[in-house]
Amino acid sequence: MMKKHFTIRLMALMLAALMMGAAFSACSQTQQTEQTEQTQEIQTAEKTEESAQASEQTKEGQWEFTDSLGRTVSFEGQIERVAPSGNMAQQCLFSIAADKMVGRAGEVAKNAEAYYGEEFVNLPVFGAFYGSKSDLNKEAVIAADPQVIIDIGEVKDGMKEELDDLQEQLGIPVVFIEADLEGTGTAFRTLGQLLDCEEEANKIADYCDQTMQDAQEKSASIPQEERKSVYYGLNENGLSSFAQGSFHTEVIELVGADNCVQVEGAGSGAMEISFEQLLNWNPDVLLFGEQSMADGVANDPVWQELTAVQEGNYSKIPSEPYSFLDQPPAANRVIGVKWLGNLLYPEIYDYDMVKEVQEFYSLFYHYDLTEEQAQEILGK
């Protein structure tokens, strides 16, 4: 009997020992896991810091940038001196890195001087860097000693080869950043990363992205049968335009309107049309560029045949300092989205355009418009 009780007690003691051992082991594993996690967190933090330091060191030394054409360009140190290629690059650079610009792409119109300021207006003019209208002053570019030439806009045939040739001729890195209308925000972010101006660039990019998102949502709410047809007239006679799908008419299509110039195979360039064609299309709304007959259609017996003229549905596109629609297709198209949406569908694009224009010019030009100036720009 005693032997039986002893055996039972012995087994109980062994079981207790096993349980204590298991508990101790579990506790040890938990402590080990916590220590491992803490160690990993410390290592991760150290790696992040090392990575940031390495990135900073890379920017101070040799580093590379791959542009929108897949061209990889090498740089030495941070970029502090930039030359723009084209009006869109000029406008975008002025918005986020005016202090880095060593020259201008072209002359500044009188109505734009106030927005840019005397210091910018007095910069040397380089001319067009490539393309059919190339008039590049290579000596002026070399004298200005930029670390990079930046072009922004639409991808064109043969561009990669042309930019490679330009880079070789000048011995200066050349970068291209693609920017269609809806990708304007992305272009600004890329430009900010390249030039170490991310805070200012991202602020503008956020504005662009929000504008595009709003337009997409508002446009989607417009039934097809209620969409207005629009004609965009250029030149003094108003009989030059761009076909639907062109890079130059993206604003029209984004806001939920139909470009009445629907010609297959027309390409993205301007095309001449006849008044008979325009009369046949009979658009709901006419838009006219700065150098067109916008002020004369009301008294022109030929144009009076159009329903849009009879009903007063025609407008001159705001164009100070750049067109809100095109010519050139620069960042002013972003405010153009709000302007055209409000013009065509005021009940959907319910904006106070005076305030919108003031906000845009403050953000993109660092210029504070008065209400009167904003109204004048809008043609009110």
Side-chain angles (χ1 to χ4, degrees):
M1 187 75 174
M2 287 181 62
K3 188 182 275 191
K4 183 177 180 181
H5 283 297
F6 175 78
T7 303
I8 293 172
R9 287 179 63 191
L10 180 61
M11 291 177 65
L13 287 170
M14 291 175 64
L15 180 60
L18 286 170
M19 291 177 66
M20 288 178 64
F24 178 77
S25 176
C27 182
S28 298
Q29 288 178 355
T30 300
Q31 291 177 345
Q32 185 177 2
T33 301
E34 289 176 352
Q35 290 174 352
T36 301
E37 290 177 349
Q38 290 175 355
T39 302
Q40 288 176 341
E41 288 177 1
I42 293 171
Q43 289 175 343
T44 300
E46 290 176 346
K47 286 180 180 179
T48 301
E49 185 176 353
E50 289 173 2
S51 177
Q53 290 174 350
S55 176
E56 186 176 342
Q57 290 169 359
T58 300
K59 269 290 176 91
E60 291 175 355
Q62 190 84 16
W63 56 282
E64 294 182 336
F65 177 84
T66 301
D67 72 3
S68 299
L69 298 171
R71 301 167 58 255
T72 299
V73 183
S74 298
F75 294 100
E76 185 74 32
Q78 292 187 342
I79 297 175
E80 299 295 343
R81 301 177 61 79
V82 183
S85 172
N87 284 315
M88 188 162 186
Q90 177 169 293
Q91 185 186 13
C92 293
L93 284 168
F94 181 82
S95 295
I96 70 168
D99 59 326
K100 295 178 184 285
M101 299 179 70
V102 298
R104 295 184 279 111
E107 296 296 339
V108 176
K110 284 294 181 183
N111 68 348
E113 290 183 358
Y115 305 116
Y116 286 113
E118 185 177 353
E119 185 176 350
F120 180 85
V121 171
N122 290 332
L123 287 174
V125 178
F126 299 140
F129 280 78
Y130 67 95
S132 60
K133 297 181 180 180
S134 175
D135 58 352
L136 176 64
N137 185 335
K138 296 181 181 178
E139 291 74 17
V141 177
I142 294 171
D145 191 30
Q147 293 166 274
V148 63
I149 296 167
I150 298 176
D151 184 52
I152 301 174
E154 179 187 20
V155 176
K156 303 178 182 68
D157 292 340
M159 175 176 279
K160 183 179 183 298
E161 292 73 20
E162 288 184 352
L163 295 188
D164 285 341
D165 289 344
L166 176 62
Q167 181 170 290
E168 186 175 350
Q169 290 171 22
L170 296 178
I172 300 170
V174 180
V175 164
F176 173 74
I177 299 174
E178 184 177 10
D180 60 3
L181 178 60
E182 294 184 41
T184 305
T186 300
F188 268 107
R189 284 195 174 86
T190 303
L191 189 62
Q193 292 167 359
L194 175 65
L195 301 179
D196 292 317
C197 302
E198 292 179 90
E199 183 177 352
E200 187 66 29
N202 290 344
K203 188 190 305 181
I204 291 179
D206 288 344
Y207 175 92
C208 294
D209 290 345
Q210 186 60 57
T211 300
M212 300 306 140
Q213 183 180 336
D214 287 348
Q216 289 165 350
E217 292 173 357
K218 293 178 188 302
S219 174
S221 72
I222 305 171
Q224 186 59 47
E225 63 273 13
E226 295 180 15
R227 291 176 180 254
K228 296 183 179 180
S229 61
V230 175
Y231 174 74
Y232 169 31
L234 302 165
N235 297 340
E236 292 183 2
N237 65 3
L239 294 176
S240 180
S241 191
F242 296 99
Q244 181 165 321
S246 169
F247 182 83
H248 300 268
T249 61
E250 290 180 304
V251 174
I252 295 173
E253 290 140 32
L254 178 62
V255 301
D258 294 325
N259 180 358
C260 74
V261 184
Q262 300 188 24
V263 180
E264 289 188 17
S268 62
M271 57 181 292
E272 299 300 317
I273 64 169
S274 67
F275 188 81
E276 288 70 22
Q277 284 177 303
L278 181 57
L279 191 61
N280 183 54
W281 290 325
N282 198 26
D284 298 315
V285 178
L286 305 175
L287 301 176
F288 292 102
E290 180 67 19
Q291 305 300 324
S292 69
M293 59 177 302
D295 299 324
V297 293
N299 300 316
D300 189 303
V302 176
W303 284 80
Q304 285 176 356
E305 294 183 51
L306 293 168
T307 304
V309 175
Q310 296 168 14
E311 297 179 352
N313 293 327
Y314 56 90
S315 296
K316 192 172 184 178
I317 302 164
S319 57
E320 191 172 312
Y322 291 119
S323 169
F324 280 21
L325 190 68
D326 181 46
Q327 302 292 313
N332 264 31
R333 297 192 299 170
V334 178
I335 187 61
V337 170
K338 294 186 175 184
W339 169 77
L340 185 58
N342 180 259
L343 177 72
L344 300 179
Y345 310 107
E347 69 286 353
I348 298 175
Y349 293 83
D350 186 18
Y351 299 124
D352 180 335
M353 285 309 303
V354 169
K355 290 183 179 179
E356 293 291 343
V357 167
Q358 287 177 307
E359 179 185 2
F360 178 86
Y361 278 67
S362 175
L363 187 60
F364 283 74
Y365 292 103
H366 317 291
Y367 188 91
D368 294 327
L369 293 171
T370 65
E371 287 190 16
E372 291 74 17
Q373 288 174 317
Q375 288 172 342
E376 185 176 347
I377 289 172
L378 292 166
K380 294 187 176 182

